[in-house]
Amino acid sequence: MKKMHVSMWKQALSTMPQVDKNQWHDLDWISKWLLSTRAAVLIMTFMAAALAGLIAWRDDAFSPLVWSVTTLALILAHATNNLINDLIDSKKGVDKNNYYRNQYGVHVIEDKLMSMRTFWHMLLLTGGVAIALGLYLVYLRAGITLELMLVGAFFVLFYTWPLKYYGLGEPAVLLVWGPLMIGGTYYVTTGYWSWPVTWLSVLFALGPTTVLFGKHTDKLASDKQKKVNTLPVIIGEKAARYSVSIMMVMQYILSIVLVVFGVFHWALLLVLVNIPNLINTISIFNQPKPEQAPADYEPGAWPLWFSAYAFVHNRKFAGLFILGVLVDVMVTKIK
């Protein structure tokens, strides 16, 4: 049995490290799964589920078992989508010839790190467990749980094609990480739908949407050449950059609105601590992407640029946001 590479687990959960065939061969199966599924972005799914769980706890309707199963199902569904994304783009020839996707992280198909048989085993096992957990939740909760599961399955299967290819990928992410993921997790955990949670979910979902928008802006030229018509390709590079800045600012405005109208406690305003980072990130989006990485740029991050800055901003915002909700929960519990 191969040695567990805990250090690689940590790297895979925080960055998208590159590995060669020799390094890959020496890795344990957990490391390989984390790298193959781009685990660093799975954190956004966990944060969304954690947010729904915190609010359910505040509302005295938290079920540890249901929430845990839901969270694991969502993470595995997201992982399945990432594997399908690489599979379809590779089969359609999009990821050929040093395409943008091949320049960051591990692409197990294009890098020939595993056979297609092994890849299919990983994909079917990951997706199969996600489906099994989803069906278990349908059994536990009923109601609209099956409908939520089917909608989620639709986006897992069809996000890469045709949605991403026709400018619908970005709106899909806003819907998935918002009402579907957070609102749905809250519903499955508590047994009822909450519109305040739905509004909160839209605010949170703007974060993952900015990351995707940033990634598609980074690779706009490559996507245009490959006829992958993402929303940035359709509206143009400058409009795409400004759109991300607007979405980021809207997160702070909506946080203030939710506090002013008494939907959530003042602690939600902790996100304002991140405004210096917001200003810095917007300054990056106000300018076109440089031709090459600056000398002081983080090693291994290039060619990620807009997506890298959006990712850092979103992770900091989401951390403060969840902390604010946690304080809101504690204040509510103490009263």
Side-chain angles (χ1 to χ4, degrees):
M1 182 176 180
K2 292 186 177 181
K3 178 183 177 181
M4 296 290 115
H5 293 263
V6 178
S7 60
M8 179 55 75
W9 300 356
K10 294 178 181 178
Q11 288 184 56
L13 288 168
S14 58
T15 63
M16 292 189 183
Q18 292 276 11
V19 297
D20 58 31
K21 290 185 178 180
N22 290 331
Q23 292 172 313
W24 178 266
H25 177 74
D26 292 335
L27 291 176
D28 59 275
W29 67 271
I30 295 177
S31 296
K32 290 180 178 179
W33 186 87
L34 292 172
L35 291 170
S36 300
T37 58
R38 285 174 271 160
V41 297
L42 301 183
I43 299 298
M44 293 188 293
T45 295
F46 174 77
M47 286 184 168
L51 182 59
L54 280 173
I55 303 172
W57 182 38
R58 183 198 67 175
D59 296 342
D60 295 322
F62 182 70
S63 169
L65 172 63
V66 176
W67 178 83
S68 298
V69 173
T70 304
T71 301
L72 182 56
L74 289 174
I75 291 173
L76 292 176
H78 186 181
T80 301
N81 175 257
N82 285 348
L83 292 171
I84 291 174
N85 196 328
D86 282 350
L87 175 65
I88 292 178
D89 281 347
S90 182
K91 291 293 185 182
K92 291 178 71 66
V94 173
D95 288 348
K96 303 293 183 184
N97 302 322
N98 200 34
Y99 178 64
Y100 181 91
R101 170 66 183 90
N102 305 75
Q103 298 176 52
Y104 73 90
V106 171
H107 194 312
V108 292
I109 298 176
E110 292 298 316
D111 297 337
K112 295 180 170 56
L113 297 177
M114 67 170 63
S115 67
M116 285 306 302
R117 180 178 180 180
T118 303
F119 178 87
W120 273 106
H121 285 167
M122 179 181 288
L123 172 58
L124 293 174
L125 179 61
T126 303
V129 176
I131 292 172
L133 292 174
L135 292 175
Y136 178 59
L137 291 170
V138 171
Y139 168 76
L140 285 178
R141 186 61 70 191
I144 62 169
T145 305
L146 177 60
E147 287 80 356
L148 291 170
M149 178 183 170
L150 292 175
V151 172
F154 170 83
F155 286 114
V156 167
L157 294 172
F158 300 113
Y159 163 77
T160 303
W161 191 89
L163 299 180
K164 185 178 73 173
Y165 281 64
Y166 295 97
L168 296 174
E170 295 81 6
V173 166
L174 184 63
L175 177 61
V176 168
W177 261 270
L180 184 61
M181 194 173 289
I182 299 177
T185 298
Y186 183 88
Y187 172 83
V188 175
T189 302
T190 64
Y192 59 89
W193 191 267
S194 169
W195 287 108
V197 172
T198 303
W199 285 111
L200 189 79
S201 74
V202 172
L203 188 166
F204 183 87
L206 285 170
T209 306
T210 63
V211 176
L212 182 69
F213 233 97
K215 185 177 77 170
H216 289 171
T217 305
D218 277 335
K219 62 192 187 83
L220 188 152
S222 298
D223 277 342
K224 191 172 184 179
Q225 182 181 13
K226 298 279 188 174
K227 301 187 185 306
V228 181
N229 294 312
T230 63
L231 203 50
V233 169
I234 294 172
I235 67 176
E237 190 263 359
K238 187 175 182 179
R241 290 190 283 109
Y242 289 166
S243 295
V244 174
S245 295
I246 291 171
M247 285 188 282
M248 288 178 178
V249 171
M250 284 302 299
Q251 288 185 286
Y252 296 85
I253 293 175
L254 288 174
S255 295
I256 295 172
V257 169
L258 288 174
V259 171
V260 170
F261 282 90
V263 179
F264 287 92
H265 196 265
W266 60 266
L268 200 64
L269 298 182
L270 280 171
V271 297
L272 300 181
V273 173
N274 200 42
I275 284 182
N277 180 258
L278 168 69
I279 294 172
N280 177 64
T281 307
I282 288 178
S283 70
I284 295 296
F285 277 85
N286 280 342
Q287 302 294 328
K289 181 180 179 179
E291 293 295 327
Q292 58 185 15
D296 59 348
Y297 195 59
E298 183 178 346
W302 190 263
L304 300 176
W305 180 254
F306 293 125
S307 53
Y309 280 98
F311 181 80
V312 171
H313 172 267
N314 179 62
R315 178 164 285 194
K316 291 181 177 179
F317 177 91
L320 289 167
F321 189 78
I322 291 177
L323 178 60
V325 172
L326 178 59
V327 174
D328 177 274
V329 170
M330 300 308 296
V331 170
T332 302
K333 291 290 185 181
I334 291 173
K335 287 182 177 179

